[in-house]
Amino acid sequence: MSALPADDAAPDLLVLTTGGTIDKFYSTAGELEIREPTVGPILEQAATNLRIAVRGVLAVDSLDMTAEHRRTLTEAVAAAETARIVITHGTDTMTETAEHLLADPEAVAGKTVVLTGAMQPSCMRITDAPFNVGSAVTAAQLLDPGVYLAMSGRVFPAGTVAKDRARGVFVDR
Ligand code: GLU
């Protein structure tokens, strides 16, 4: 995102993107494909003066996320220059990735990491993407260090949450 000033100061918040439905588009051939991260335009519409950096780490459907992908993401969290991090992620295995991060205390030490995503692509007229990104950005500024999910209008600590697939809602586990 271009909201950062030219100096080298760390951003207030870092968004790491990994793909998932939030970044899916219908191609002209009618295929759903993952394109550029949409979190930048969502944040621009929100007109915040927070200094937010957006970094693309992966671009995968979360059902295709491998151990190697999760290692790459964990390394990006560990290397982050700010303690406040939002991760956009496919909803199908978001809880799994959150638990994976939780299991690496060194990588997340002193950091507030909030995962979010969307059930409907950001490019759709009816989508939960802006709501969820807004929830995650706010949660990341308010919560103590730890790993969390911001979905369905709630914030859950990692390890306490499941996706209710039938209803498309994240619930207490
Ligand atoms: N299978 C997709 C994923 O987890 C769809 C779920 C979603 O992102 O909402 O990336």
Side-chain angles (χ1 to χ4, degrees):
M1 202 183 168
S2 57
L4 280 178
D7 63 47
D8 289 334
D12 300 314
L13 188 133
L14 173 65
V15 182
L16 301 175
T17 69
T18 70
T21 290
I22 190 168
D23 288 336
K24 285 183 186 168
F25 286 75
Y26 275 106
S27 70
T28 46
E31 303 286 334
L32 264 180
E33 48 187 48
I34 294 171
R35 297 217 183 140
E36 287 301 301
T38 55
V39 69
I42 288 173
L43 293 168
E44 271 162 29
Q45 285 169 31
T48 176
N49 71 346
L50 267 184
R51 295 151 46 95
I52 301 175
V54 179
R55 192 162 301 149
V57 179
L58 303 167
V60 293
D61 185 296
S62 77
L63 290 176
D64 299 328
M65 206 174 266
T66 63
E68 182 61 33
H69 286 137
R70 290 201 167 91
R71 238 191 321 277
T72 300
L73 179 60
T74 302
E75 282 167 13
V77 168
E81 66 276 47
T82 174
R84 311 241 168 230
I85 300 167
V86 168
I87 298 174
T88 60
H89 195 290
T91 60
D92 277 335
T93 69
M94 184 186 289
T95 59
E96 209 176 309
T97 298
E99 287 170 41
H100 185 90
L101 287 166
L102 197 60
D104 194 334
E106 239 176 75
V108 297
K111 297 192 170 90
T112 300
V113 181
V114 182
L115 290 90
T116 195
M119 302 285 183
Q120 298 295 335
S122 179
C123 64
M124 306 279 267
R125 192 169 61 81
I126 296 174
T127 173
D128 49 335
F131 180 88
N132 294 340
V133 169
S135 300
V137 166
T138 303
Q141 294 172 76
L142 296 176
L143 294 166
D144 289 334
V147 182
Y148 308 87
L149 261 75
M151 286 298 294
S152 309
R154 295 184 58 189
V155 178
F156 304 88
T160 71
V161 51
K163 179 180 174 183
D164 178 337
R165 284 169 204 282
R167 292 193 297 144
V169 176
F170 281 78
V171 297
D172 295 309
R173 192 169 76 192

